[in-house]
Amino acid sequence: MAREAVLQSVAARVPSLPGDDCVRVAVDGPDGAGKTRFADGLAATLREAGRPVVRVSVDGFHHPRATRYRRGRDSPEGFWLDSYDYDRFTADVLNAFAHNGSRRYRAAAHDVASDTALAVDTAVAAPSSVLVVDGIFLQRAELADAWHLSIFLDVPFTETARRMAARDGTSPDLADPRTRRYVEGQRLYFAACDPRRRADVLVDNADFDSPRVLR
C-alpha cells in the first residue's frame, strides 16, 4: 500500500498542458535504484486515471561499445560522459513531445547487448500524452530543461551495488573495478548536476515495496 500511495501522490503531480501538448516526466536515479519498476508503476497509475502514456527508457539510446569504452572499460569518466547518444535521444524522442511537437517518435536506437543499431518503426503518441522516461543522468545539462516533472530515486550505493550484482552478475564490492566504474561515474554526475536537489520529487527507494517521498 505504501508503494501505491507514493505512485498516486507522484501521479497527482504530473501536470496537464494546454491543447494537445504532451508532458515529459523523468524518473532518474543511480543504477539499481528501481527506476524501471517505478516508471512502469507510475505509467500504470496514470493510465488508470485515464491519461495516455508513452514509456521510453534512455537505455535504448546507448552509444556503440567503441564509444562507451574509448576512455577504458573501467573508466568512471567514460561511464559519465560517453554512455548515451543524447543527440539521437533528443531527435527521436524529446523533440516529438515538445510544444507543438509531431508526437512521432522512435522508442530506441541501439541494442546494448548485441551492440547493434536498431531500425525501430516510428510510432505516434496520442494528443496530450505523458512521456515517462527512466534512466540515469537525466538531469545532466543536455536534458535538465526537458522535463515538466523530474523524480529522483535515492538509494545508497551499497544497496544499488547489491541489486546490480543480483541482476547483472557484477560484484557488490564498491572497490571492484567494474562496480567502481558505475559508482564513481554516478558520483561525478552528482557533483556536476546535484540531481537530488534539482528533482521536483525526491523519493527514498531503498525499500522497493515501501518507498518514501522525502520532498
Side-chain angles (χ1 to χ4, degrees):
M1 291 298 295
R3 181 173 182 271
E4 292 304 316
V6 167
L7 290 171
Q8 291 283 353
S9 174
V10 175
R13 292 285 310 276
V14 177
S16 297
L17 300 181
D20 292 339
D21 273 0
C22 298
V23 178
R24 300 185 299 267
V25 177
V27 179
D28 190 11
D31 269 326
K35 298 180 295 299
T36 299
R37 182 179 176 186
F38 191 95
D40 286 346
L42 178 61
T45 301
L46 290 165
R47 290 188 182 109
E48 288 170 3
R51 302 191 68 171
V53 178
V54 172
R55 273 286 286 118
V56 172
S57 176
V58 76
D59 282 344
F61 294 87
H62 275 94
H63 274 304
R65 191 173 296 139
T67 301
R68 298 200 313 274
Y69 294 125
R70 61 188 173 187
R71 301 172 201 263
R73 292 189 65 87
D74 297 330
S75 169
E77 292 81 5
F79 182 57
W80 158 232
L81 296 173
D82 300 329
S83 287
Y84 296 100
D85 187 343
Y86 296 111
D87 289 340
R88 184 67 183 271
F89 176 65
T90 299
D92 283 3
V93 180
L94 292 180
N95 288 348
F97 292 87
H99 175 58
N100 291 329
S102 68
R103 292 185 278 108
R104 300 179 64 86
Y105 70 96
R106 291 183 177 86
H110 187 82
D111 180 72
V112 69
S114 62
D115 196 36
T116 57
L118 297 174
V120 176
D121 291 338
T122 299
V124 181
S128 304
S129 287
V130 181
L131 171 69
V132 179
V133 177
D134 72 274
I136 58 175
F137 305 153
L138 294 185
Q139 293 291 338
R140 62 182 297 145
E142 297 94 324
L143 306 177
D145 294 332
W147 314 112
H148 297 101
L149 185 74
S150 59
I151 301 142
F152 188 87
L153 304 184
D154 199 20
V155 182
F157 283 125
T158 50
E159 174 62 14
T160 61
R162 184 193 66 78
R163 293 177 186 176
M164 289 177 65
R167 183 188 72 190
D168 302 331
T170 54
S171 171
D173 182 359
L174 299 185
D176 179 271
R178 185 179 176 192
T179 304
R180 181 180 175 276
R181 167 182 166 86
Y182 300 124
V183 171
E184 294 304 320
Q186 289 167 103
R187 284 177 172 151
L188 290 172
Y189 169 49
F190 294 169
C193 302
D194 199 0
R196 293 184 182 92
R197 180 186 60 81
R198 286 187 176 182
D200 301 302
V201 180
L202 180 64
V203 176
D204 178 347
N205 205 45
D207 184 334
F208 272 133
D209 297 315
S210 298
R212 296 184 299 118
V213 176
L214 302 178
R215 186 186 68 248

